[in-house]
Amino acid sequence: MPREVTAPIFERAQQRSVVMRLAGTVPVDLGENSVPTTTQRPEVGVVGEGEAKPVSNTGYAVKVFKPVKLATIVVVSEEFARKNVGGTYTQITDDLAFAIARGADLLTMHGRSPLTGALVEGKQYINQTSNRVVLGSTPQEEGGIAGDLVAGYELVVNDDTTDDFTGFAADLRLKPRLIGATDRLGRPLLQTTTNLADGMDVILGLPAGYARSVSGRIGASVDTGVRAFGGDWNQIRYGFADEMSIRVSTEATVMIDGQLVSLWQHNLVGLLVEATFGWVLGNVDSFAAYEVAGS
């Protein structure tokens, strides 16, 4: 499909990706990519007139990563595509773009492929953090769920290698708990919107995005028990090595249920969506994972 068709679709998908709403971008090439990271920042000192200027130690490292190809094919009947019954065919093209963004979220947060649920070898992801908080572990009189969130905040900011804590990514199932959280007198504990349709929110004054992919339950990937990640989203950089493309064919041969099927012979239309996605994670312990008990 031409760029003027796919670009707006992809923009909408990016708006629904929780990682893409919170993290920053980086240029990505098809091969190996190198991103410089700071391991020790310089410091200044106070000197008098004519005194020797102090020397400050600095440290830099390079993160190397390779992008992955995200792709899938959807097959529909030619008659269905031509009639666009109830706008469903148009919705399919939108869903294909959303699948790319959802897959990118799952890879970045859990390192898994949505189609199989398997870990992608050699990739860093947020859920590798050693900072873990069990939701419900703080008594209500000591802050309840707000205390749990602050406990994760402390784990991150007390680490000397971390500079900031910029926001939260949360599973949709956590939202009603946040909205309904009260102290012992029934007063709301958290700054949250009561509009359940909002994809973005504010928790403890920080931006928060909601998505199913936060828990890991996308496609064949199972629920990990995680209900939120909080931390320094400046540590995440993502990018696409090429523009998302949606290609349409009525003549290709496609494997369906283990059988090679000719689209032309069976009056079928195949839609192939693909994009090359890459991400780099500076420090996994710049994040805290908030999880349910027993996960």
Side-chain angles (χ1 to χ4, degrees):
M1 291 185 178
R3 188 183 184 283
E4 57 267 23
V5 174
T6 59
I9 293 173
F10 194 41
E11 275 181 33
R12 291 196 298 274
Q14 286 180 297
Q15 291 166 4
R16 297 168 74 180
S17 160
V18 67
V19 170
M20 296 180 197
R21 280 176 283 173
L22 293 168
T25 59
V26 66
V28 175
D29 294 325
L30 290 173
E32 279 196 346
N33 294 264
S34 300
V35 176
T37 59
T38 302
T39 58
Q40 183 178 353
R41 297 184 183 278
E43 303 292 352
V44 297
V46 177
V47 294
E49 185 68 30
E51 293 181 355
K53 306 305 182 286
V55 176
S56 180
N57 291 328
T58 59
Y60 298 94
V62 174
K63 287 272 186 176
V64 178
F65 68 98
K66 288 184 178 180
V68 296
K69 175 78 79 173
L70 301 172
T72 192
I73 297 173
V74 173
V75 176
V76 298
S77 72
E78 191 173 0
E79 291 82 4
F80 175 81
R82 192 165 51 243
K83 292 181 180 179
N84 194 23
V85 179
T88 306
Y89 179 69
T90 303
Q91 181 62 46
I92 288 174
T93 61
D94 215 14
D95 287 344
L96 286 171
F98 184 35
I100 293 288
R102 189 168 52 191
D105 275 358
L106 188 65
L107 283 164
T108 307
M109 290 187 282
H110 295 283
R112 297 181 182 180
S113 166
L115 193 61
T116 64
L119 285 172
V120 179
E121 188 177 349
K123 299 298 181 183
Q124 270 194 315
Y125 50 92
I126 296 174
N127 202 28
Q128 290 172 318
T129 178
S130 61
N131 298 322
R132 323 295 294 189
V133 175
V134 176
L135 292 169
S137 55
T138 305
Q140 188 178 18
E141 60 270 20
E142 296 178 18
I145 196 169
D148 296 338
L149 296 175
V150 172
Y153 179 90
E154 284 188 304
L155 288 173
V156 172
V157 300
N158 286 343
D159 188 330
D160 290 339
T161 64
T162 301
D163 280 339
D164 209 351
F165 192 112
T166 61
F168 298 91
D171 184 84
L172 289 167
R173 289 170 292 178
L174 188 62
K175 193 168 192 176
R177 289 184 62 184
L178 297 173
I179 293 173
T182 60
D183 63 16
R184 298 181 69 180
L185 298 177
R187 295 171 298 193
L189 279 172
L190 299 167
Q191 300 166 265
T192 57
T193 177
T194 55
N195 184 356
L196 294 175
D198 280 352
M200 289 296 291
D201 200 351
V202 175
I203 299 174
L204 297 175
L206 296 173
Y210 294 93
R212 280 183 55 191
S213 49
V214 173
S215 71
R217 57 177 188 136
I218 295 294
S221 178
V222 298
D223 189 345
T224 64
V226 172
R227 293 296 175 266
F229 292 111
D232 184 4
W233 293 90
N234 294 316
Q235 292 285 331
I236 294 281
R237 288 290 183 268
Y238 75 91
F240 289 87
D242 51 16
E243 293 183 350
M244 184 201 69
S245 65
I246 300 177
R247 287 184 277 170
V248 182
S249 176
T250 57
E251 299 179 0
T253 300
V254 178
M255 186 74 74
I256 302 176
D257 295 330
Q259 300 292 323
L260 279 174
V261 176
S262 166
L263 300 181
W264 178 80
Q265 189 175 13
H266 293 83
N267 282 349
L268 298 173
V269 177
L271 294 94
L272 166 64
V273 61
E274 57 184 349
T276 304
F277 171 77
W279 75 98
V280 61
L281 174 53
N283 177 10
V284 294
D285 286 331
S286 291
F287 293 88
Y290 300 90
E291 50 199 350
V292 294
S295 61

